[in-house]
Each structure stands twice: as C-alpha cells, then as structure tokens.
Amino acid sequence: EAQVTQNPRYLITVTGKKLTVTCSQNMNHEYMSWYRQDPGLGLRQIYYSMNVEVTDKGDVPEGYKVSRKEKRNFPLILESPSPNQTSLYFCASSLTGGIFNEQFFGPGTRLTVL
Amino acid sequence: GENVEQHPSTLSVQEGDSAVIKCTYSDSASNYFPWYKQELGKGPQLIIDIRSNVGEKKDQRIAVTLNKTAKHFSLHITETQPEDSAVYFCATKGVANNLFFGTGTRLTVIP
C-alpha cells in the first residue's frame, strides 16, 4: 500500500531533550516536507526537500533540523525542544516539487513538550 | 509570503443541504488551488483541486470555483452527508514549491 508513515504517533517529552520524528514514504517520491498544525493557524511548512541531500527552509524553521540522506526518509529533529513546539506534525511527499503534484500526508505525530 | 484566509471557521448544516467554504489569497502568482479534507486522527487528503486557467471544476457532489481577478476560490459540497463531517483546508501554490494553507473549516453535517 502506497503511504507515508510517521513515528512515533504520540510523544510527550521535556524541555531540552533531543528528539527525532521519523518519516518514510514508499512511493519513490522526490519531494518531502514537514508541516506543523496549530489551532487557528492551519498547516505551516517547516522544511522541505526537493530530493536527496537537498533541503530548504519553509515558513517556520526555527528550532528544527532535517536531513535527507535517502530518498524514502525525511526525519525531523528537535535538538532542544521547547513548549512552543507542542503541536501536531505532518510529513508529506509528492512525486516531484512541481506545482501541480499532489502531496500525500502521513497520519501525524502529536508532540507535547513539558 | 502568501496569505490565505478561510471562512467560516465552523459550519453546521443539515444533511442534504449544501455547504460553501470560501478562501481568499494575496499572491497573484498563485496558480494551483487544492482543497484538503482532514478526518479525525488522520492527515489531510486531497479531495479536489483547480488550476489558474480554469474557472470551475466539479467532481460528483464537490465543486470548486476560482476567481483569479478577485483572488478568491470556494468549495461547494451539495447533498451533504454525515461522512462529509471533517475539517477542510484550502491551499495555494505558486512559483515557490510550498503549499500555503488556510486556517481550516470544521464542517458538521447534522443527520
């Protein structure tokens, strides 16, 4: 089944404790992206990757890192999480970064930083 | 950057009635306008999209209209059913490779 998977689905952590949220897609997509969803704000892009070893900042990149060493994986790293990073996170992928390509979303990771 | 406004934030309709959600955007370079449906506990899923050279597109009970001059586009759902209850997001995409989302509309269809 073609899909985007994220792990973990739920995570509660404390301020300053490094964490990684994994994202993997099995559709051989070139483009991958991370969003955060907050009430009243919709989805905002954190980082995106046009292909392996190519990453770029989205609208809200502060406090996050990403890497794209393999085509299928695009982990989101929080080196020193803070309470304002408590949010619902979505990974997405599309065939390419072309304007009309549909983005497929993962199921989401709900992160709470205490 | 792009600014996408979406209204209303919540919408309740009786089963069988129509629902309309409206979005406005600021960037005249936007050329692609998808709509996503997010069910509880799931990620957004594309339900319909429209390109800037088209004024209207329909897919069964769902239709989208686009007015590029006024920079607004709308989602129309006819003959609503309980399974249409979800959060709906509009989005835009232009010369950048990013999707810009509206703030979402929670649609409740009352049986």
Side-chain angles (χ1 to χ4, degrees), chain A residues 2-50:
Chain A
Q3 59 184 346
V4 179
T5 57
Q6 296 178 226
N7 282 292
R9 294 289 314 276
Y10 303 89
L11 179 60
I12 301 174
T13 190
V14 295
T15 300
K17 186 176 182 182
K18 180 179 179 179
L19 66 92
T20 299
V21 183
T22 65
C23 173
S24 182
Q25 51 91 8
N26 62 1
M27 296 171 279
N28 202 34
H29 284 173
E30 291 183 355
Y31 181 91
M32 297 185 76
S33 180
W34 275 103
Y35 297 87
R36 60 178 289 173
Q37 182 179 0
D38 301 290
L41 295 177
L43 286 86
R44 294 177 294 165
Q45 189 176 55
I46 303 170
Y47 268 95
Y48 66 95
S49 169
M50 294 291 285

Side-chain angles (χ1 to χ4, degrees), chain B residues 27-92:
Chain B
D27 188 351
S28 57
S30 293
N31 279 313
Y32 176 61
F33 307 90
W35 285 88
Y36 286 83
K37 176 183 182 182
Q38 185 179 20
E39 297 178 337
L40 197 61
K42 297 184 179 180
Q45 185 173 12
L46 180 73
I47 55 171
I48 195 168
D49 56 16
I50 192 168
R51 303 184 184 189
S52 60
N53 58 346
V54 176
E56 184 173 358
K57 183 177 178 181
K58 192 172 181 180
D59 182 4
Q60 298 182 331
R61 296 186 296 108
I62 298 172
V64 57
T65 58
L66 170 65
N67 183 327
K68 272 220 89 177
T69 303
K71 296 199 189 83
H72 65 71
F73 57 114
S74 300
L75 177 71
H76 303 253
I77 306 174
T78 59
E79 300 171 26
T80 53
Q81 300 167 4
E83 52 264 39
D84 294 329
S85 295
V87 179
Y88 292 81
F89 290 98
C90 63
T92 67

